Amino acid sequence: MAPGQDAKSGVTGTGAPDDPLRDEGGQESRDAIALPAHLAGSGRLDRLVDTARDYARAAASDNTLKAYAKDWAHFARWCRMRAADPLPPSPELIGLYIADLAAPQPMGTRKPPALSVASIERRLSGLGWNYQQRGFSLDRKNRHIASVLAGIRRQHARPPVQKEAILAEDIRAMVATLPHDLRGLRDRAMLLIGFAGGLRRSEIVSLDRHKDDTIDSGGWIDILDGGALITLRGKTGWREVEIGRGSSDQTCPVHALEQWLHFARIDFGPVFTSVTRDGKRVREHRLNDKHVARLIKSCVLAAGLRPDLPDAERVKLYSGHSLRAGLASSAEVDERYVQKQLGHASAEMTRRYQRRRDRFRVNLTKAAGL
């Protein structure tokens, strides 16, 4: 047995695994997808098992799987430090765990930070998913979990902290700070396409030039006379995003995309790839979505947005979601068109992104006769 490994849980304290269907020792989880016990193994059946495992991993995004893996690693480590076994699931133990997340007990001289209600609920979702992969079920309605979580919500719930919206005048100032080398052309196209399409940062970097160019593609782009048609694989299935041409080449997202594709000579594979440090050559591998967040923060500083705040506070106000919130707040069109562009299932979700919406356009007080 490896040092630091718990004999019962099969989980080490070295960190989260890359594959949530494996434990941290690198072994396949004992209750993961496998051949039925009554069947004899064969080459064909073993290949089917591998295929089924690949499909199981594709049921959630890579970022979600990584988060769930970290959730399980943290819970297993917490259990081990208290001489408890994470398997099978114990509602009483999980109730104590989420209580410790909300009001952590000091560990020696150090007191861990308390998690928000949203983070605790995400941890519970991660534990539920991990238990399912190991052949168990987690009953979140059990009183030992539900009552503790209800108390945490009552005492610690806060309104969500929203990121600042990047409005039209902001995005124009941001792209104006970018150079005109390959890196600048790429970053300009990413910002403008992300803003005009209301795209998530993961959706921006997942785009390919054509359908089926790569196996890790999240969508592709068709450039037409009137604009660009982006086909995306979203959380609820495939959707199309239409990005029309702008009134000026300096701020037109489609023109910026065409310039990048032309000078970078990209006609196959990932649309947004890395560039050499000198900004003169394009590499083949796809950018990470964290690049979008870093790009937004650096351009916010360069453009001088929110000059009333120190730099450290300014960059905290903006993230990848600032592009989506900016489109929702800037587009003076019927709300249903914004909802469709952002891929929201409800108008209520779209309204959360609208930072400067006319909240009293419909006055029910006057309509009721007062």
Side-chain angles (χ1 to χ4, degrees):
M1 183 169 63
Q5 185 175 3
D6 182 76
K8 294 181 180 179
S9 66
V11 179
T12 69
T14 58
D18 291 329
D19 185 349
L21 294 182
R22 293 178 180 270
D23 63 31
E24 288 183 298
Q27 298 299 314
E28 197 77 26
S29 176
R30 57 187 171 187
D31 290 306
I33 294 171
L35 196 66
H38 65 277
L39 289 181
S42 68
R44 179 173 296 180
L45 286 175
D46 290 343
R47 287 192 295 273
L48 281 176
V49 170
D50 291 338
T51 301
R53 287 174 181 162
D54 289 341
Y55 279 128
R57 294 185 186 98
S61 70
D62 289 342
N63 287 340
T64 299
L65 292 178
K66 288 176 182 177
Y68 285 171
K70 290 179 180 178
D71 292 339
W72 182 258
H74 184 275
F75 177 61
R77 191 178 303 114
W78 184 89
C79 289
R80 186 172 60 253
M81 294 177 67
R82 289 155 183 81
D85 192 344
L87 295 172
S90 164
E92 296 87 347
L93 184 64
I94 292 174
L96 296 177
Y97 174 64
I98 61 174
D100 195 28
L101 295 178
Q105 302 298 310
M107 301 291 292
T109 59
R110 176 173 126 349
K111 184 178 180 180
L115 295 188
S116 67
V117 175
S119 296
I120 292 172
E121 291 179 334
R122 211 293 313 282
R123 286 277 176 92
L124 278 175
S125 296
L127 294 185
W129 187 91
N130 276 282
Y131 275 124
Q132 277 189 326
Q133 308 314 305
R134 290 161 173 81
F136 299 99
S137 62
L138 176 63
D139 181 12
R140 292 181 56 170
K141 294 183 180 179
N142 182 283
R143 64 184 180 88
H144 293 285
I145 299 175
S147 59
V148 173
L149 185 58
I152 292 172
R153 288 194 186 111
R154 186 177 180 85
Q155 290 194 27
H156 300 291
R158 298 289 184 273
V161 178
Q162 292 185 318
K163 294 297 183 179
E164 195 88 356
I166 293 175
L167 304 177
E169 56 268 26
D170 299 328
I171 199 75
R172 285 195 292 265
M174 289 167 65
V175 298
T177 68
L178 296 171
H180 291 277
D181 59 4
L182 283 174
R183 179 178 284 106
L185 291 176
R186 179 200 65 192
D187 291 347
R188 186 174 288 103
M190 292 177 69
L191 288 176
L192 291 172
I193 287 291
F195 176 85
L199 305 182
R200 300 174 179 87
R201 67 186 196 185
S202 58
E203 292 173 338
I204 297 172
V205 299
S206 72
L207 292 173
D208 276 2
R209 184 63 189 89
H210 305 101
K211 183 181 179 181
D212 299 329
D213 277 358
T214 64
I215 59 173
D216 61 339
S217 169
W220 66 91
I221 299 176
D222 293 311
I223 298 179
L224 310 173
D225 291 340
L229 178 63
I230 298 179
T231 305
L232 283 172
R233 182 174 58 198
K235 293 181 177 180
T236 58
W238 291 94
R239 80 178 197 272
E240 290 184 344
V241 174
E242 299 175 3
I243 300 179
R245 295 186 181 272
S247 56
S248 166
D249 283 349
Q250 284 71 35
T251 57
C252 173
V254 183
H255 178 75
L257 178 62
E258 289 173 327
Q259 291 289 100
W260 160 246
L261 294 175
H262 172 72
F263 287 104
R265 299 180 180 178
I266 293 178
D267 55 11
F268 180 86
V271 170
F272 296 114
T273 61
S274 62
V275 176
T276 56
R277 187 167 297 180
D278 60 9
K280 295 180 179 179
R281 288 184 294 109
V282 176
R283 293 187 172 129
E284 294 182 358
H285 58 271
R286 190 188 304 276
L287 282 176
N288 188 285
D289 67 334
K290 292 180 180 178
H291 175 83
V292 180
R294 290 193 295 265
L295 171 63
I296 289 171
K297 293 178 185 296
S298 65
C299 287
V300 162
L301 292 177
L305 304 189
R306 292 299 304 268
D308 56 308
L309 298 175
D311 288 355
E313 293 185 28
R314 280 200 288 159
V315 296
K316 288 181 181 179
L317 288 177
Y318 296 90
S319 72
H321 262 58
S322 296
L323 295 177
R324 286 166 64 77
L327 176 72
S329 303
S330 300
E332 298 293 338
V333 296
D334 192 300
E335 193 175 74
R336 68 178 183 270
Y337 295 114
V338 180
Q339 179 183 341
K340 179 178 182 295
Q341 190 84 338
L342 298 182
H344 288 154
S346 67
E348 180 59 35
M349 177 59 71
T350 302
R351 293 188 189 109
R352 296 182 190 179
Y353 283 74
Q354 294 172 325
R355 304 292 191 264
R356 59 181 189 185
R357 175 171 57 90
D358 184 358
R359 296 181 179 275
F360 302 105
R361 183 179 302 169
V362 177
N363 190 327
L364 293 180
T365 306
K366 290 182 178 179
L370 299 181

